[in-house]
Amino acid sequence: MAFLGPSAYISPDHYASQPHFPTWAYAAVHVTGRPRLLDEVRTMRQLDDLIEDQESRLAPKQPWSLPRRASALFDEYLRLIQGSRSRSGTSTACTSLARTSPRPTWPPRHGPSGSAARTA
């Protein structure tokens, strides 16, 4: 599985010194493990939790929640969603947040602490 974090184009004009070249700042984590599919009840619970968490970040907006009654549109969307859980086997993080080295590496190099994170 790949989890992508924030990303953005970085213009050479953002740097105080010149010369620079355009780049892309990003963060990502690759995780290996064995996924286990969830039944409809657990998938709905997972969706509720996710929506509640994300909607709470939009205050003072009134939080949106899943409809509690069936509708054709709701049923159509629900058929497209499959919840899953996974116990993580290994994970590898890669970031490119500042252009202080020639180029980011993938897979990331392991630092002295054994961490897989790398900032390029």
Side-chain angles (χ1 to χ4, degrees):
M1 293 177 280
F3 298 93
L4 302 177
S7 64
Y9 169 79
I10 307 297
S11 169
D13 295 335
H14 286 83
Y15 293 93
S17 63
Q18 294 297 326
H20 279 283
F21 198 77
T23 190
W24 194 264
Y26 62 88
V29 176
H30 289 195
V31 177
T32 61
R34 187 173 299 256
R36 183 173 52 94
L37 299 180
L38 300 179
D39 61 28
E40 188 174 314
V41 171
R42 287 189 175 102
T43 296
M44 289 299 295
R45 191 175 308 134
Q46 193 178 62
L47 283 172
D48 279 332
D49 291 347
L50 175 64
I51 291 167
E52 181 182 335
D53 176 66
Q54 295 301 307
E55 285 288 324
S56 70
R57 299 167 193 243
L58 302 176
K61 172 188 151 332
Q62 181 70 26
W64 184 89
S65 61
L66 284 172
R68 293 294 164 217
R69 59 183 171 78
S71 70
L73 181 61
F74 179 76
D75 292 342
E76 182 181 338
Y77 278 121
L78 192 55
R79 280 192 298 276
L80 301 173
I81 298 169
Q82 175 61 66
S84 66
R85 294 189 80 86
S86 177
R87 294 194 192 275
S88 176
T90 62
S91 60
T92 308
C94 181
T95 61
S96 177
L97 302 175
R99 190 51 89 181
T100 57
S101 66
R103 68 174 61 125
T105 60
W106 190 263
R109 297 180 195 147
H110 291 277
S113 65
S115 167
R118 167 155 169 72
T119 302

